[in-house]
Amino acid sequence: MKYLSFVFVSFLMVLQTTGQNELHLGFSQTFSSFNFKSSTAEKDDFVSSDVNSGSAIGYNISLPKWMDLRFDLSLLNMGARAAYEAQSVKWDLNYINANVNFGFRYKKSTVQPYLLLGPYMSYLYKGSQEIGSSYYNLIELKKIKRMDLGVNALYGANFVVSPSFKLFIEGRHTIGLNQIEKDANSQKLYNRAFSIVLGIKVILEKESGNE
């Protein structure tokens, strides 16, 4: 977490010359799986979702009218489960995730619904697979690509508690577009996740969309 905090502080220093509105901290419950396609291009549903927790820090710029621009850095824990030849199989893929999202938010109320969309880039810092009682480090074995790219779709609502403080709840769909498995011949493996995020926002200055 200390590396994530360092990157975020550096990021804020770059943003000092821009319009500043909100800092946020969120905690997530992520339901993740894989979109797996076999060598015959058929989708294989042998994997099931896994549940992991995560956290994020971010910065929101309130643009004119109903528009918002948001930057996030998060610890995103992905993976999946499966049963293969009577053995349980579990993948754990731990990413540092950076994303930028643009969209719309209703700003003239104490309840502020919003919808955002944007790209993400993730770096795998830890990856493992457990098959029964056997453990495999996927990074050391060079089985999984370290970088993942994709898009996020976010929808949620802010709840204004005071002039300087908000609570928020959010749903987030994460769609990986990068085939993450190395040396997979013609089979393809993509990250998929849905997260429920709860958090707080600290308002730094009056929002341009509230006038």
Side-chain angles (χ1 to χ4, degrees):
M1 188 66 184
K2 62 181 180 180
Y3 301 108
L4 185 61
S5 300
F6 172 76
V7 174
F8 182 64
V9 170
S10 302
F11 174 70
L12 289 182
M13 294 175 64
V14 175
L15 287 177
Q16 289 300 310
T17 58
T18 67
Q20 300 176 9
N21 289 108
E22 296 173 356
L23 294 174
H24 68 260
L25 174 65
F27 300 93
S28 63
Q29 198 78 352
T30 298
F31 304 82
S32 63
S33 187
F34 297 131
N35 181 358
F36 177 83
K37 292 184 179 180
S38 67
S39 57
T40 58
E42 295 181 356
K43 184 177 179 180
D44 196 325
D45 295 321
F46 80 100
V47 296
S48 59
S49 62
D50 194 19
V51 182
N52 294 286
S53 59
S55 59
I57 49 180
Y59 192 93
N60 191 87
I61 299 174
S62 181
L63 301 174
K65 304 299 181 183
W66 288 7
M67 294 182 292
D68 267 3
L69 181 63
R70 193 170 107 180
F71 304 88
D72 288 322
L73 284 172
S74 65
L75 296 177
L76 181 62
N77 300 318
M78 306 278 277
R81 292 178 178 270
Y84 180 73
E85 294 184 350
Q87 293 193 92
S88 62
V89 183
K90 186 177 187 298
W91 294 266
D92 282 314
L93 304 179
N94 305 133
Y95 290 96
I96 296 176
N97 178 275
N99 59 85
V100 55
N101 299 286
F102 174 81
F104 302 92
R105 171 169 57 98
Y106 183 71
K107 304 176 183 179
K108 296 185 178 182
S109 173
T110 56
V111 179
Q112 302 176 341
Y114 59 84
L115 175 65
L116 304 170
L117 182 69
Y120 76 81
M121 179 174 64
S122 294
Y123 178 76
L124 183 70
Y125 67 91
K126 182 180 179 182
S128 65
Q129 183 183 39
E130 297 178 19
I131 303 177
S133 59
S134 300
Y135 175 89
Y136 303 94
N137 187 319
L138 296 178
I139 294 177
E140 290 182 355
L141 295 174
K142 298 181 179 180
K143 294 292 186 180
I144 294 289
K145 296 176 183 178
R146 303 294 293 268
M147 299 299 299
D148 187 30
L149 303 172
V151 295
N152 286 319
L154 293 66
Y155 47 87
N158 298 328
F159 301 91
V160 181
V161 178
S162 73
S164 59
F165 183 72
K166 297 179 183 178
L167 300 175
F168 74 94
I169 183 170
E170 178 179 289
R172 177 189 294 251
H173 291 275
T174 299
I175 303 171
L177 301 179
N178 189 35
Q179 203 290 105
I180 63 172
E181 192 173 10
K182 289 185 177 180
D183 303 323
N185 299 318
S186 56
Q187 70 181 27
K188 297 180 180 180
L189 193 68
Y190 302 90
N191 278 318
R192 294 289 187 270
F194 172 72
S195 302
I196 299 173
V197 186
L198 299 174
I200 60 174
K201 294 183 178 181
V202 178
I203 303 169
L204 301 181
E205 66 177 31
K206 186 177 180 181
E207 297 176 298
S208 59
N210 286 344
E211 298 182 353

